Amino acid sequence: MKLRLGILGADDSLAIIGSVTREFAELECLPIVYGKEEDIFDLIEPHIHDADMWLFSGKVPYTMVREWGKIKAPMAYVPHMGASLYRTLFHLSHECGIQVREISFDTFSGEELNHFLEEAHIADGYAWLKHYDGAITAGELADFHEELWRAGKTKAAVTCLRTADLELQKRGVPVYRVLPTRAGVLPVIHMLLRTHEMLHFKDTQIAVQMLEVDLFRELAGGTFATDEWQNAEIRTTEKLLRYARHLHGSLKAAGPGRFAIITTRGILQSVTSDYTAMPDLQDAFGIQAEWVTCGIGIGKTASEAEIHASTALLHAKERGPGSWMVFFDDKNIVGPLGTGEQISYSGASTRLQKLSEQTSLSVLTLSKLDSILKKRGTKEINAHELGQYMQILPRSARRILMELEAKGLAQVVGEESPNPRGRPRKVYRVLL
């Protein structure tokens, strides 16, 4: 099966990229030409699901689409550094007699441009550069170059953006466009092919769902006789068998009220919307979501995946009935799925392992705390807030913060009064 590669870029860049991609029989290309940056989203939106990966002719369209956030497939862009820039500077120097310090540049960072000039043995360095991290308009770049040229500070502009090139030509500014080269396109294509192979391998990794079903809820309103219990388990098993077939997996019993479904990572990633949501078990399979607590484990072997699923289930049970957690093969734990307070923390951190040895707190507790602070975007938190995030009692959260304070890893920085009659809550700054 061919890799479907979407390619978006200006007309002159796509011609060069296309000459390279035609040499790869494993690629099926979808070229999209844009004339103005503001048209990019309208051009690409109808084809969001038509490509397995996306390649952009430069940094600007790549950054715009990445920040847009609607494409979840892997993306890359062709860099303008290296042979592309060297070819442009060689032309300016040897055919036009223009030196580097007489040129205004855009797109590159100062560090990479300096490094390039040192490698090219150009000693004087550059004088004028417009670097940008996000997207930028052609008009803004054209204004930068034109102002320097009209002031007599430069003799030419070097731009990486096609629309800026056309705008500068209209304004009568001498401009030279840095175009991709075959040497620049080839390594990006090879990188995308390797990424595709890696993702295919990950999709076929073993994944295990460990589900714990509350059979007492199934028996609600009935008796607790042995035959009724067995009938409830049979009904649940039949529902889970249909769900397992939907996952192209197999079902096995793993203890009273506990079941394991063995499938693949790619299928589970799809049904959980990239591990952010729980599948609709009730409408599709007649299983009440609040009756099922689930741990998903990913591993290189079925045994490893099952161990990870059991660990994820323990974390899910800590969060309460109906919670789903995921334990990945890199030891990262994510969840609960389907909630606005989903966090990700690691079960294997050298830094947190060292801190755990200094305190009475486990690595996982410290990892959860670290993840919560990153999610909140602040190092300050009180026990009530920490308890809500970790779904533990405030007094348990208070013990965690007091332990960190005692070991010099947290300090009280203030107090908050939730209401006039309530006891003030200490605010801690955590220093992990």
Side-chain angles (χ1 to χ4, degrees):
M1 186 174 177
K2 291 190 174 185
L3 166 63
R4 299 176 303 165
L5 180 65
I7 309 172
L8 184 137
D11 51 357
D12 52 357
S13 296
L14 281 191
I16 297 168
I17 294 172
S19 70
V20 178
T21 56
R22 282 193 290 271
E23 298 174 8
F24 292 83
E26 59 267 54
L27 293 179
E28 180 181 308
C29 296
L30 170 65
I32 300 175
V33 179
Y34 77 90
K36 297 179 181 178
E37 281 72 29
E38 54 264 35
D39 297 335
I40 285 176
F41 302 141
D42 290 338
L43 288 168
I44 204 170
E45 188 158 22
H47 303 287
I48 285 177
H49 303 294
D50 295 340
D52 303 308
M53 291 184 171
W54 286 90
L55 176 61
F56 299 89
S57 64
K59 184 178 180 181
V60 169
Y62 166 82
T63 304
M64 290 178 63
V65 174
R66 185 190 64 190
E67 293 177 352
W68 185 43
K70 290 193 177 183
I71 288 187
K72 305 303 180 185
M75 298 185 292
Y77 68 90
V78 179
H80 290 92
M81 192 54 76
S84 302
L85 180 57
Y86 188 82
R87 180 178 61 186
T88 304
L89 293 183
F90 185 85
H91 171 76
L92 283 168
S93 173
H94 290 269
E95 296 185 30
C96 305
I98 299 175
Q99 303 307 307
V100 170
R101 295 194 68 82
E102 299 172 312
I103 301 169
S104 55
F105 297 88
D106 63 44
T107 305
F108 312 111
S109 71
E111 183 181 0
E112 65 181 348
L113 186 53
N114 275 324
H115 183 65
F116 169 82
L117 293 175
E118 286 174 10
E119 286 191 335
H121 301 290
I122 300 174
D124 291 342
Y126 68 91
W128 313 101
L129 171 65
K130 178 73 172 178
H131 173 64
Y132 50 91
D133 288 319
I136 196 168
T137 64
E140 189 176 347
L141 286 182
D143 289 344
F144 164 74
H145 292 294
E146 183 183 17
E147 183 179 335
L148 291 168
W149 179 70
R150 294 202 182 278
K153 296 177 180 179
T154 63
K155 292 183 179 180
V158 168
T159 184
C160 299
L161 195 62
R162 173 61 164 163
T163 49
D165 172 40
L166 295 173
E167 180 63 26
L168 285 165
Q169 288 182 42
K170 273 198 266 181
R171 299 184 188 188
V173 179
V175 58
Y176 297 85
R177 166 110 152 98
V178 182
L179 283 166
T181 62
R182 290 178 55 82
V185 175
L186 274 169
V188 181
I189 298 295
H190 285 299
M191 181 272 291
L192 287 171
L193 289 171
R194 288 196 302 271
T195 302
H196 181 64
E197 290 173 3
M198 180 193 71
L199 291 175
H200 177 71
F201 167 74
K202 289 181 75 172
D203 280 350
T204 57
Q205 273 185 297
I206 298 294
V208 173
Q209 267 191 281
M210 193 70 69
L211 304 116
E212 198 165 276
V213 184
D214 187 350
L215 293 177
F216 286 103
R217 303 286 288 274
E218 179 83 17
L219 288 165
T223 66
F224 292 91
T226 301
D227 57 345
E228 283 297 322
W229 180 273
Q230 289 175 340
N231 287 336
E233 193 157 22
I234 290 170
R235 288 196 297 271
T236 298
T237 303
E238 289 173 345
K239 295 172 184 176
L240 289 175
L241 275 170
R242 292 200 299 274
Y243 175 53
R245 283 195 292 270
H246 175 69
L247 298 179
H248 302 284
S250 58
L251 177 74
K252 71 172 185 177
R258 184 177 288 189
F259 303 85
I261 296 176
I262 303 171
T263 180
T264 64
R265 179 177 187 152
I267 290 174
L268 275 184
Q269 185 171 353
S270 175
V271 300
T272 60
S273 300
D274 200 16
Y275 304 109
T276 60
M278 295 186 296
D280 186 0
L281 297 180
Q282 185 169 341
D283 288 347
F285 308 101
I287 303 170
Q288 298 285 344
E290 63 271 21
W291 297 0
V292 180
T293 306
C294 174
I296 296 174
I298 311 296
K300 297 178 180 66
T301 65
S303 175
E304 183 181 70
E306 192 162 340
I307 292 169
H308 290 172
S310 298
T311 304
L313 179 60
L314 290 175
H315 286 275
K317 291 172 73 174
E318 287 179 2
R319 309 290 295 190
S323 297
W324 287 43
M325 301 290 288
V326 187
F327 194 124
F328 291 99
D329 53 339
D330 61 1
K331 311 302 180 188
N332 276 327
I333 302 168
V334 172
L337 303 190
T339 67
E341 299 302 328
Q342 182 170 320
I343 59 174
S344 173
Y345 50 93
S346 174
S349 167
T350 304
R351 173 175 61 90
L352 297 181
Q353 183 67 50
K354 291 178 180 178
L355 294 180
S356 175
E357 293 168 0
Q358 298 173 30
T359 67
S360 62
L361 305 174
S362 69
V363 173
L364 284 176
T365 296
L366 290 169
S367 186
K368 288 180 186 179
L369 175 57
D370 195 33
S371 177
I372 289 166
L373 296 174
K374 289 176 181 175
K375 183 179 179 69
R376 284 166 51 88
T378 176
K379 295 179 180 178
E380 296 179 3
I381 196 167
N382 63 46
H384 182 76
E385 292 168 333
L386 181 59
Q388 285 184 322
Y389 273 99
M390 297 184 74
Q391 292 195 347
I392 58 178
L393 294 173
R395 64 170 177 268
S396 300
R398 196 173 296 112
R399 279 198 294 269
I400 292 172
L401 293 170
M402 290 173 65
E403 171 68 8
L404 292 171
E405 183 189 17
K407 296 299 189 293
L409 298 172
Q411 59 190 50
V412 178
V413 294
E415 290 185 340
E416 295 175 337
S417 296
N419 55 68
R421 294 174 175 267
R423 194 170 73 179
R425 296 169 179 167
K426 291 182 179 180
V427 178
Y428 291 81
R429 178 176 290 127
V430 181
L431 309 169
L432 296 183

